[in-house]
Amino acid sequence: MSDGILEEAYERLHRTGPEYQGWLSNHGPMAVEALVRHGHPHRVHRWLDDYLDRLDEVPRGLHPIDDWRSALGDPKRAGDWLTYFDRQLREHPWRQVLGTWWPRLLPGIAAGATHGVIRVGHAVRALDRDSENRQRLTELGQALGYWAARWQPIPGTDQLFAAETHRPGPDDIDVAAALAGLPRIDDQTGGVRDRLGRLPGVPRWEPALATLRPARSPAEAERGLATLVHRASLDYLRFGHAAPVMLVHAVTAPTAVLRTLPALDQDLWAPSLAAAWAATAAMTSVYAPLDGIAPPTVAPAPPAEVFARAARHGDEHVVKLADAILDVHAASGDDRLLTAPGYAGQLI
């Protein structure tokens, strides 16, 4: 896929930590994987030359992870989590490690403003479609370690996961209606952690989460995820102006989950839809206005040019949104989606 460019990029990035400036996510591994995936390896090292200066060093560990439950969601243990998963992936097949940890991490999908799961999704794609090597396995370990260190549940989802295979409902999973029925927090100020903390005070929040019926089969879960990504992408055209960067994650988080499904046991597909729905719902409720605007009417470019423009733009969120949009466009054929990356580029 990359003639070694992706491996070289990972080598450079793995000398840095998963966050910088206290809590901002290191987008480097995700962006370079997307650049290589879509045929732009020649841009990778120049992009990294500009990006690496802002990053921090790999965090030091405190002591080995023994009781993983007590260490989950403790950012001070980030170095310990990176070491833990590096060892796990040296000793066990990566699909086994992923299968063990995916259900443990999934309820904390809000980790790092959903960047934990997004980074895992990129790492799994790099491994699942190409030959395995040490750099790619290390990247999966760092992605899992970051998710574990920043593990954060979305308020109100306990019942969602507990009931995911038991609640009755209509024959179809109506993603569009569920998204349209989401409430908004009144105070849309502050960072993502502050905003998520306001969700319990929204009376309609938990009932709105329950409107998306759980998947009753793996095929239904996969179809629901694909529809969720599709509808969230269209919603970006309506709401993206309000939070151009943060609302990208309402698209890229469920995309990461959808990409990971083929590497997981099918028993995990239904809870994966539940978690992805919760992530998109939360990002929409805390960042999107209640009333959207008319989508831009710019004629879409061909898919390859859509990504090429995002690569030339260079912002990591524009690159990752273009990457996700090309996936959903290939599945749906909906040309409206192809305007979203250019729109994000204008806004950002």
Side-chain angles (χ1 to χ4, degrees):
M1 180 179 86
S2 64
D3 293 328
I5 296 295
L6 184 59
E7 286 72 23
E8 293 170 7
Y10 281 160
E11 289 277 3
R12 297 179 70 183
L13 284 159
H14 292 160
R15 304 183 191 115
T16 66
E19 293 182 325
Y20 63 99
Q21 294 182 15
W23 59 274
L24 297 176
S25 296
N26 177 353
H27 290 71
M30 301 171 269
V32 299
E33 192 275 336
L35 287 169
V36 171
R37 175 68 51 184
H38 294 283
H40 294 265
H42 59 286
R43 294 186 179 275
V44 166
H45 282 303
R46 184 168 53 192
W47 187 89
L48 281 178
D49 289 342
D50 292 333
Y51 191 75
L52 285 168
D53 285 345
R54 72 181 72 174
L55 302 179
D56 293 337
E57 295 179 354
V58 178
R60 296 181 179 180
L62 300 176
H63 49 83
I65 301 290
D66 44 19
D67 178 6
W68 64 265
R69 289 178 179 83
S70 66
L72 206 59
D74 185 351
K76 295 189 293 294
R77 304 293 304 278
D80 300 323
W81 279 115
L82 297 181
T83 300
Y84 175 85
F85 279 109
D86 182 72
R87 185 175 67 251
Q88 289 294 307
L89 287 163
R90 290 178 186 274
E91 296 176 354
H92 307 286
W94 70 266
R95 285 180 179 83
Q96 178 182 331
V97 175
L98 180 69
T100 297
W101 279 92
W102 185 261
R104 296 173 178 176
L105 296 175
L106 205 57
I109 198 169
T114 73
H115 285 108
V117 69
I118 295 169
R119 186 167 173 179
V120 168
H122 281 274
V124 167
R125 184 171 66 170
L127 281 164
D128 205 35
R129 298 186 183 180
D130 297 280
S131 58
E132 299 175 21
N133 56 49
R134 172 45 48 194
Q135 293 88 348
R136 296 182 188 209
L137 290 169
T138 298
E139 172 52 24
L140 177 59
Q142 296 215 352
L144 290 168
Y146 177 41
W147 190 353
R150 278 294 182 189
W151 189 88
Q152 180 185 1
I154 292 169
T157 55
D158 289 348
Q159 192 62 29
L160 183 70
F161 283 103
E164 83 197 18
T165 59
H166 303 294
R167 267 188 292 126
D171 290 337
D172 295 323
I173 298 177
D174 194 343
V175 173
L179 283 170
L182 289 171
R184 306 295 194 264
I185 57 172
D186 291 329
D187 179 9
Q188 291 202 0
T189 61
V192 64
R193 290 172 291 184
D194 293 331
R195 293 176 185 233
L196 290 175
R198 295 178 192 132
L199 283 173
V202 179
R204 291 180 48 237
W205 167 242
E206 291 193 28
L209 274 182
T211 59
L212 188 71
R213 181 182 57 75
R216 293 174 294 192
S217 70
E220 199 173 71
E222 184 176 26
R223 185 168 65 251
L225 269 165
T227 304
L228 177 60
V229 175
H230 187 183
R231 298 305 309 185
S233 300
L234 291 174
D235 277 356
Y236 187 87
L237 295 172
R238 299 175 56 232
F239 301 128
H241 65 282
V245 169
M246 296 307 296
L247 284 172
V248 164
H249 307 111
V251 178
T252 52
T255 296
V257 175
L258 182 59
R259 286 174 179 166
T260 307
L261 290 188
L264 299 170
D265 188 279
Q266 290 192 347
D267 289 345
L268 297 175
W269 289 19
S272 295
L273 170 61
W277 157 242
T280 294
M283 297 306 289
T284 301
S285 291
V286 304
Y287 280 105
L290 195 57
D291 297 317
I293 62 173
T297 56
V298 179
E305 179 58 22
V306 167
F307 191 87
R309 290 176 183 176
R312 290 194 295 269
H313 185 286
D315 179 85
E316 56 270 28
H317 294 94
V318 176
V319 168
K320 293 195 303 170
L321 180 62
D323 172 49
I325 290 295
L326 292 197
D327 273 9
V328 68
H329 176 262
S332 69
D334 188 345
D335 285 345
R336 294 174 296 173
L337 302 171
L338 295 176
T339 63
Y343 184 46
Q346 294 173 10
L347 294 171
I348 295 173

